[in-house]
């Protein structure tokens, strides 16, 4: 069964051995927040208009995490700002997605001891599954092939959180043009979500430098 958008992004954004975020916890959290909202757009549960979330009259998502997020959006219907939701979700998205991947058997918890501290890290149970999303994107874009809509969004999140070097490596420059073309072909809601995620990452970087 194919992984959902946030699951793929998590595996791309985190080291296979250490479990640490390759782009920093802050950027990875925002990327995961964007991915979770992106899942709801892909499920047909929400739209994005003028930087605001619009809840649509559609069947409830089949995935438990997506369903819980939709219910949270509905309970807080007076808060519709995409930037606000990205900031809020970025604080808990990692633990939520980790739990989903653990439940599906794609991650396992392991304890790592360094100096006098022991911490729990989450590592893939199957390296082939963990590496598949990045390999899939790099291979298709390297051949200038058309990506699926979820994979275009995934690629956009890779760019928004500055993970191109990790995913595309030496071919990052070559895939920039075909990826840009495919990004412009996305539905407006997904383009807006990627733009807001990239802006949130940029704001976080500026705050960190001050």
């Amino acid at each position: 069964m194919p992984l959902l958008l946030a699951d793929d992004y998590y595996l791309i954004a985190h080291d296979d051995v250490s479990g640490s975020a390759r782009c920093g916890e802050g950027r990875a959290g925002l990327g995961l927040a964007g991915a979770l909202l992106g899942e709801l757009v892909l499920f047909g549960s929400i739209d994005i208009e003028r930087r605001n979330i619009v809840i649509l009259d559609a069947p409830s998502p089949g995935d438990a995490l997506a369903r819980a997020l939709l219910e949270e959006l509905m309970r807080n219907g007076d808060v519709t700002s995409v930037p606000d939701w990205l900031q809020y979700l970025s604080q808990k998205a990692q633990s939520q997605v980790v739990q989903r991947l653990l439940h599906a058997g794609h991650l396992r918890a392991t304890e790592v001891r360094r100096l006098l501290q022991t911490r729990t890290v989450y590592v893939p149970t199957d390296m082939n599954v963990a590496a598949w999303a990045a390999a899939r994107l790099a291979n298709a874009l390297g051949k200038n092939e058309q990506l699926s809509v979820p994979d275009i969004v995934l690629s956009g999140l890779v760019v928004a959180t500055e993970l191109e070097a990790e995913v595309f490596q030496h071919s990052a420059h070559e895939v920039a043009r075909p990826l840009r073309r495919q990004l412009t072909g996305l539905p407006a809601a997904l383009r807006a979500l990627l733009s807001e995620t990239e802006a949130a990452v940029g704001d976080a970087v500026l705050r960190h430098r001050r």
Side-chain angles (χ1 to χ4, degrees):
M1 182 177 178
L3 297 181
L4 292 174
L5 179 61
D7 299 338
D8 271 339
Y9 177 80
Y10 180 92
L11 293 173
I12 284 175
H14 290 80
D15 185 84
D16 298 342
V17 177
S18 70
S20 300
R22 292 180 167 122
C23 55
E25 298 296 338
R27 291 182 196 179
L30 288 166
L32 286 167
L36 288 175
L37 290 175
E39 289 179 7
L40 290 182
V41 176
L42 293 168
F43 277 126
S45 300
I46 64 171
D47 196 3
I48 295 175
E49 298 177 1
R50 298 180 181 180
R51 307 186 74 191
N52 288 288
I53 292 170
V54 178
I55 298 174
L56 302 176
D57 184 11
S60 184
D63 175 71
L65 176 53
R67 190 162 57 248
L69 175 53
L70 179 60
E71 290 169 357
E72 187 171 13
L73 290 171
M74 294 173 71
R75 285 196 305 271
N76 297 277
D78 56 327
V79 181
T80 60
S81 164
V82 174
D84 287 349
W85 276 104
L86 285 171
Q87 291 296 333
Y88 168 70
L89 292 174
S90 71
Q91 304 303 311
K92 61 178 185 175
Q94 176 164 319
S95 62
Q96 291 177 322
V97 175
V98 163
Q99 288 304 312
R100 185 165 71 182
L101 286 165
L102 284 169
H103 181 74
H106 295 302
L107 289 181
R108 60 180 173 84
T110 184
E111 290 190 346
V112 175
R113 185 173 179 82
R114 288 184 179 175
L115 298 178
L116 300 177
Q117 291 185 329
T118 299
R119 67 187 186 97
T120 302
V121 300
Y122 300 96
V123 295
T125 55
D126 186 327
M127 291 301 182
N128 290 324
V129 172
W132 171 235
R136 184 174 73 236
L137 300 183
N139 184 58
L141 288 170
K143 296 178 180 178
N144 200 17
E145 295 175 351
Q146 181 64 38
L147 298 173
S148 66
V149 171
D151 274 358
I152 300 173
V153 180
L154 180 59
S155 298
L157 291 169
V158 165
V159 173
T161 54
E162 301 179 5
L163 281 165
E164 301 101 307
E166 284 289 341
V167 176
F168 306 124
Q169 299 180 9
H170 62 276
S171 61
H173 181 72
E174 288 77 7
V175 305
R177 182 175 293 180
L179 176 55
R180 190 161 51 244
R181 174 182 57 79
Q182 296 198 39
L183 287 169
T184 60
L186 281 174
L190 292 170
R191 292 200 312 272
L193 178 60
L194 290 173
S195 177
E196 294 293 348
T197 304
E198 187 168 19
V201 170
D203 289 345
V205 171
L206 287 175
R207 286 196 301 272
H208 180 71
R209 288 175 178 171
R210 286 171 186 165

